[in-house]
Amino acid sequence: MAVEFLLNGKTMSFDGDPDTPLLWVIRDYAGLTGTKYGCGIAQCGACTVHLDGKNRRSCVTPVDTVAGRSVTTIEGVSGPVAAAVQKAWVAIDVPQCGFCQSGQVMSAIGLLSAKSKPTDADIDAGMAGNICRCATYVRIRQAIKDAAGVKVSA
């Protein structure tokens, strides 16, 4: 029996193994490669997507658990919060290698959607588990603050 869900606003039907991780359905069946495979155990954040508007690690999410729900990938984000985050990321040149950045951006959008003026503690909690091998954490934090319009003390 096929699993149907919305993927970036369009109906997606998957009739394979219902235990297939959502990540592989997104990448291999839908052909959307912005969501990355990093660790496969929900520890690095590279595979972060939004499930009904909340951050979710797609590498450990069986596709059958998203039936009838809405999944948004980096290719499908939109709206003022997403635009602010993307603008901030570009303005201060956050990425180095870029591998983790789609997961970082998705987590930042999820954080700012839930808390529009985050503190440093909020950012730490909201971005926990998003690993950047290039250690661009200072720029990530600054981009989140810039996107939120948070004043930074000098």
Side-chain angles (χ1 to χ4, degrees), residues 8 12-13 16-17 20 24 43 46 61-62 69 79 85 89 99 103 105-106 116-118 122 134 143 146 148 153:
N8 297 334
M12 171 78 185
S13 182
D17 183 345
T20 301
W24 300 119
Q43 297 297 304
T61 302
R69 300 173 77 185
V85 169
W89 242 250
F99 187 83
V105 166
M106 294 300 286
S116 63
K117 300 291 183 197
D122 295 329
C134 302
D146 290 353
S153 57

Side-chain angles (χ1 to χ4, degrees), residues 111-131:
L111 167 65
L112 291 175
S113 294
K115 189 148 198 124
S116 63
K117 300 291 183 197
T119 64
D120 284 348
D122 295 329
I123 294 170
D124 290 345
M127 300 301 288
N130 282 81
I131 308 296

